[in-house]
Each structure stands twice: as C-alpha cells, then as structure tokens.
Amino acid sequence: MRVDIITVVPELLRSPFEASIMKRSIDKGLVEVHFHNLRDYVTDNYKQIDDYQFGGGAGMVMMIEPIDKCITALKAARNYDEIIYMTPDGETLHQGMANHLSLKGNLIILCGHYKGVDQRVRDHFITKEISIGDYVLSGGELGALILCDAIFRLIPGVLGNETSALTDSFQDNLLAPPIYTRPSAYKGWEVPEVLTSGNFPKIEAWREEQAYLRTKERRPDLLED
Ligand code: ADE
C-alpha cells in the first residue's frame, strides 16, 4: 500500500511512523508513506495557502489551487483508490471502514486546517470524507495518523500473529473479552480459573460470553447492528 498525506504541518506527522507497528509496516516494505507540504505547491512569494471566506465569517479557508496542484501531480504518477479528506463532518471512522481501506493499493489523505478547505476541493477531488469522532481538532493530521494506524495493522504480514488483528475489539461487532497474563495470583487477585484450566473449548466459550457481556454493558448499540 502507498499512502500520500497532504498537509501544512508535516512535522506533526513524522514521528508516529518511526515507531511500533507503523514503522514495522514500512520497514517490512508493506507500506510506503509520503508527506507533501502544501506550501511546496504555492506559487506566490508569501506561500499563502489560505484566505478569507467569501461572504464573511470567522476563520480562514484553505485555497483550492495548491491542493489541486498537489493532487493532480500525484494522480499523474499513479492511480488512487481513494482521495480521503479528514474532516469532523465526514463519516465516523469504524473498524469496517479500516478493514475496507486496508485492501486498497494507493490512498491520498488530505488534512484540513483552519476552517477547512474550499468546498470545490471536496466536490471535485475528494472521494471519501472521514471523521475520527464528534469533536473538532486543530487539523486533520492527528486523524490521518489514527486512520493509518487502524489500516496498517490490518495489512497481512504487518502483525506477527495474523489472528491478533482478527480478535481485536469490533472485528465481530463485539468488544474484546478481558485478558490476563502471569502471575495467576497477584495480591490475592486471581485470574479466572477457566483460563488456566487448559480446556480450550471451555476457554473459547468463556471468552465469547465475556465479550458479549462487556459489549452489552458498555456498547449495547453494537448489538443492535
Ligand atoms: N479535523 C478536525 N477535526 C477532525 C475530526 N474530528 N476528524 C477528522 N478530521 C478532523
């Protein structure tokens, strides 16, 4: 997979790709990530990428021209499966969306700033709009990182143990069951006996029940789907 991230603050993006699973996915050659600084696509001397809103109102708007130049240059080099815009009024990110995007080859992610981008960018270039939740961030960069993390870990070969992404919370519309490791007793707090019984069908049944109970208690909305 190749991901091109368009941003006005590339320095916000770098370090999360230099550690843990995202670094591993790049080191293994399974993912390529490229950052594009929008200011590199501005022709005027002031490197202006935003301007006042037509009609008045608080907040600056990202101009269409540098975004057009950047996206058009990328599209001239290869085909893209999706051109994603990170925005609080997009579709809220969920596991199904991450699963779907993990199967794609090339993605562009555009990070908004200020009030957002000129609507014509959304109308003419963007194929998918994604929000990471009902709150407003200062820009789309942190959302783009969350999106990449959620996608990359699903790409076959990224996680050592293939089953571990499949048993994540949400993969079957259930939250994950409680997990434990050694010691089996700590300060008198015991691990549920079934988990140390060695009876794997019983362990599986316990996990399924716990996943259901946890989901019912914390996220009953997931059971309605
Ligand atoms: N940019 C600003 N807020 C955002 C959000 N909640 N999700 C995605 N991108 C954003």
Side-chain angles (χ1 to χ4, degrees):
M1 170 180 285
R2 175 184 167 117
V3 181
D4 290 275
I5 306 181
I6 305 173
T7 173
V8 286
V9 272
E11 55 275 33
L12 253 183
L13 290 168
R14 285 188 221 289
S15 74
F17 292 104
E18 290 167 1
S20 187
I21 303 295
M22 292 217 277
K23 176 179 189 314
R24 196 198 296 175
S25 56
I26 294 167
D27 289 349
K28 282 186 171 178
L30 298 166
V31 177
E32 248 180 67
V33 182
H34 299 266
F35 305 120
H36 304 277
N37 190 338
L38 256 193
R39 287 183 212 281
D40 295 341
Y41 295 84
V42 181
T43 38
D44 76 65
N45 289 337
Y46 304 103
K47 297 280 173 209
Q48 188 183 352
I49 47 113
D50 59 326
D51 211 333
Y52 294 101
Q53 286 189 52
F54 278 126
M60 305 294 273
V61 179
M62 287 169 73
M63 294 189 291
I64 190 168
E65 193 182 352
I67 298 173
D68 176 8
K69 285 203 169 117
C70 182
I71 292 179
T72 302
L74 290 172
K75 282 171 74 176
R78 66 198 65 77
N79 290 324
Y80 285 91
D81 299 294
E82 297 284 2
I83 303 179
I84 298 166
Y85 175 49
M86 302 306 301
T87 174
D89 57 4
E91 184 184 354
T92 308
L93 179 62
H94 56 80
Q95 192 62 43
M97 212 191 279
N99 290 346
H100 178 74
L101 291 171
S102 73
L103 304 173
K104 303 292 183 191
N106 297 324
L107 302 174
I108 292 176
I109 305 177
L110 171 64
C111 304
H113 253 266
Y114 318 108
K115 271 281 172 213
V117 298
D118 186 307
Q119 180 60 37
R120 289 167 292 184
V121 171
R122 301 170 73 162
D123 294 344
H124 299 286
F125 296 106
I126 299 300
T127 61
K128 200 172 191 60
E129 301 192 329
I130 299 180
S131 163
I132 58 156
D134 289 345
Y135 40 84
V136 178
L137 304 167
S138 329
E141 284 74 13
L142 299 182
L145 291 169
I146 286 170
L147 177 63
C148 286
D149 190 304
I151 293 173
F152 291 3
R153 63 198 307 286
L154 296 169
I155 295 172
V158 169
L159 294 185
N161 176 358
E162 287 308 31
T163 59
S164 79
L166 297 176
T167 55
D168 283 346
S169 280
F170 304 111
Q171 280 299 5
D172 45 12
N173 255 359
L174 290 176
L175 300 183
I179 51 172
Y180 299 87
T181 186
R182 288 187 302 163
S184 60
Y186 182 75
K187 293 186 174 174
W189 302 323
E190 308 266 349
V191 167
E193 218 178 300
V194 58
L195 294 179
T196 52
S197 68
N199 182 335
F200 292 103
K202 228 170 122 186
I203 292 171
E204 205 38 51
W206 180 87
R207 286 184 171 148
E208 275 173 28
E209 185 192 19
Q210 291 295 315
Y212 174 77
L213 292 174
R214 185 170 270 196
T215 310
K216 194 170 152 203
E217 183 189 306
R218 299 180 182 198
R219 292 292 307 275
D221 57 300
L222 292 177
L223 298 174
E224 284 158 23
D225 287 345

